[in-house]
Amino acid sequence: MKKGTNFYTVTRKVHLYAALATAVLVLMYIVTSYMMIYYDFFKTHESREHTETVAINSTNFSENNWQKFMTKHDISGRKVAEYENDNDDLVRRYESTGEITTVTFDGEGRSAEIRKQIKSAGGKIVARHRMRGYGGPWQYNLYAFLLDMTGISLILFAITGVIMWLKILNHNRIAWIIFISGLAYVSVVIGYLLLV
Amino acid sequence: MRKLKKSLLIKLHLYAGIFTSFYLLAFGLSTLILNHDLKVEKHDIKEKWTKTMDFDRNLPDRELGRAIRDKLGLMGWVIGWNIERTDEELKFTVTHPGRDYHIVANLDDGSIVVSEAPKGFIAVFHGLHFFNGLVPNAPFLLRTWALYQWLALFTFFVSLVLGLWLWIKYNYHPWEGWTFGVLALFTFIIMLLI
């Protein structure tokens, strides 16, 4: 009896703490999911562009000089791509939740074109839903860690929630109907996508 | 009365949670896959078949791809960026969350070769994160996923709010409030900093 009680208590605590630890991110996900569903209303795909060309001495920046360049030209976010375009010009792209900045250095290392795609207010909010992965400045790594915690928490929510239901309201007919209908529906959708 | 209210709230929390549990599993797994950029899609060709049919060769590439897809009765989107056309053939891919169809249409004799590459269970489960059911040629049942997704998000919100309410009202410990309150504030600040 005591063993059962302990298991239930632990399950309940895991369920609660998984929810509390990630509630802010989960709420953000829910709100931004609806914003993405109604993207026309929230104008999440809209942005405005700003381009300027600046003089430089060389494309061979030291890390320190590059940071100064970024600060001077207000380039925010983390580097998401670096490549050579069709003209063999070096291109660096930076992305934050507010803007996407593409810096294209001319082949002779005399100028750099800085093109900023500044997101709408809705786009900035939704960008937090899309932001993912480790790398870049510390806050991005911390955010990625929180996303990992959220992913694990969501799985824990679901599993511990079902375990608790089986413990508390095992004989509740409505709960069984919801559970079996949900399982059947999701299984049919997955099965169809797998087979067709 | 208080007990009745608590019992009702627990039941509502539970019903909403059960309804949304499968979506949460898919969403949770998908979050981890995306955050670590894991490649979960399989690309092996498992089946290959041919068919001959008439089609309007004068259509633009993508339109022709769609016409062939519809005549073949395949479900999925024609990918725009990898269409290749020569004088003899049109190569393109039709895709949906569970499968890629690589199609080669011979423009001379109308023969079509379809190579099927199922993406696998994990890719499909992960794909539910982005799936809205609105795939070309999808049956009605699949199209209802948009409604399920909308409702799953709503019931998840209800379940979360009810759960927090039950905790605050009936099971609140100050240390939990402080610990998770500070964590929530910290998370919010990080969200503002990125």
Side-chain angles (χ1 to χ4, degrees):
Chain A
M1 181 67 187
K2 195 173 180 234
K3 195 177 172 186
T5 307
N6 284 342
F7 177 73
Y8 174 71
T9 307
V10 169
T11 308
R12 197 163 62 88
K13 288 289 181 193
V14 169
H15 190 76
L16 174 68
Y17 294 159
L20 292 176
T22 55
V24 171
L25 278 170
V26 166
L27 280 171
M28 178 274 290
Y29 273 132
I30 294 171
V31 170
T32 51
S33 293
Y34 280 118
M35 288 178 75
M36 286 195 274
I37 290 172
Y38 299 107
Y39 63 92
D40 266 345
F41 180 80
F42 290 103
K43 303 185 192 315
T44 57
H45 288 62
E46 289 186 4
S47 60
R48 59 187 168 86
E49 278 198 14
H50 176 262
T51 305
E52 64 172 326
T53 303
V54 297
I56 54 170
N57 298 322
S58 161
T59 55
N60 191 19
F61 286 98
S62 67
E63 186 58 32
N64 193 30
N65 282 344
W66 178 246
Q67 288 304 324
K68 283 180 185 167
F69 182 87
M70 285 181 67
T71 307
K72 184 179 176 186
H73 298 290
D74 198 21
I75 299 170
S76 61
R78 62 176 165 179
K79 188 164 72 180
V80 291
E82 180 169 322
Y83 57 91
E84 286 187 354
N85 64 15
D86 294 340
N87 300 323
D88 294 331
D89 296 335
L90 178 67
V91 180
R92 283 181 181 172
R93 181 171 297 138
Y94 282 77
E95 189 168 347
S96 68
T97 50
E99 59 191 37
I100 300 168
T101 307
T102 308
V103 185
T104 307
F105 301 96
D106 79 335
E108 296 172 356
R110 289 179 185 163
S111 68
E113 182 196 78
I114 303 169
R115 186 162 57 90
K116 288 187 182 178
Q117 194 184 330
I118 301 152
K119 296 173 190 171
S120 63
K124 286 176 184 172
I125 296 169
V126 162
R128 285 163 175 85
H129 188 125
R130 296 203 171 105
M131 184 63 71
R132 60 177 186 264
Y134 288 88
W138 62 270
Q139 63 270 37
Y140 290 86
N141 286 302
L142 210 45
Y143 190 70
F145 175 73
L146 291 171
L147 291 191
D148 272 345
M149 293 299 102
T150 306
I152 293 167
S153 293
L154 287 170
I155 294 168
L156 286 175
F157 277 153
I159 294 171
T160 52
V162 169
I163 290 172
M164 287 197 296
W165 154 54
L166 290 171
K167 180 82 184 172
I168 312 171
L169 287 171
N170 189 16
H171 300 294
N172 187 296
R173 196 174 292 172
I174 298 171
W176 274 106
I177 290 170
I178 295 171
F179 182 75
I180 290 171
S181 332
L183 179 63
Y185 177 71
V186 174
S187 302
V188 168
V189 169
I190 289 175
Y192 197 89
L193 289 170
L194 278 172
L195 299 172
V196 178
Chain B
M1 189 63 190
R2 185 180 153 90
K3 270 196 170 178
L4 183 68
K5 190 180 165 192
K6 185 183 176 185
S7 158
L8 184 69
L9 287 175
I10 288 174
K11 276 185 182 171
L12 281 174
H13 174 66
L14 184 95
Y15 295 154
I18 290 172
F19 180 79
T20 203
S21 58
F22 301 102
Y23 189 69
L24 289 193
L25 279 177
F27 198 67
L29 181 76
S30 179
T31 301
L32 295 172
I33 289 170
L34 288 169
N35 206 31
H36 292 274
D37 199 20
L38 302 175
K39 308 296 177 208
V40 292
E41 283 186 13
K42 293 177 182 170
H43 300 285
D44 306 334
I45 306 293
K46 293 287 182 193
E47 204 176 331
K48 204 168 185 173
W49 46 277
T50 57
K51 199 167 185 176
T52 304
M53 62 173 63
D54 281 331
F55 46 80
D56 182 357
R57 287 143 179 86
N58 298 318
L59 286 171
D61 298 353
R62 200 162 183 181
E63 290 305 310
L64 180 54
R66 286 179 183 144
I68 292 171
R69 173 201 65 195
D70 293 344
K71 278 201 166 186
L72 290 169
L74 299 178
M75 178 179 79
W77 298 274
V78 173
I79 299 176
W81 59 83
N82 70 350
I83 300 177
E84 291 176 35
R85 186 172 191 156
T86 62
D87 290 342
E88 294 85 32
E89 59 186 26
L90 179 78
K91 286 184 185 175
F92 63 100
T93 302
V94 173
T95 188
H96 68 68
R99 192 167 293 239
D100 282 333
Y101 299 95
H102 303 292
I103 300 172
V104 181
N106 189 310
L107 300 175
D108 291 330
D109 62 10
S111 65
I112 315 277
V113 180
V114 181
S115 305
E116 297 191 19
K119 295 178 183 175
F121 177 79
I122 295 177
V124 170
F125 206 58
H126 167 49
L128 295 178
H129 187 146
F130 317 97
F131 188 53
N132 63 2
L134 306 178
V135 191
N137 298 334
F140 174 74
L141 185 80
L142 228 56
R143 290 178 173 269
T144 58
W145 184 263
L147 178 66
Y148 174 78
Q149 195 178 44
W150 199 99
L151 288 173
L153 282 168
F154 180 74
T155 47
F156 183 35
F157 177 73
V158 170
S159 180
L160 193 67
V161 171
L162 280 173
L164 289 173
W165 173 255
L166 283 165
W167 168 62
I168 291 167
K169 190 82 177 166
Y170 301 107
N171 201 22
Y172 181 78
H173 299 291
W175 76 267
E176 290 174 340
W178 278 105
T179 305
F180 292 106
V182 169
L183 186 60
L185 183 66
F186 176 73
T187 305
F188 189 72
I189 291 169
I190 294 295
M191 278 169 58
L192 293 178
L193 286 176
I194 58 171

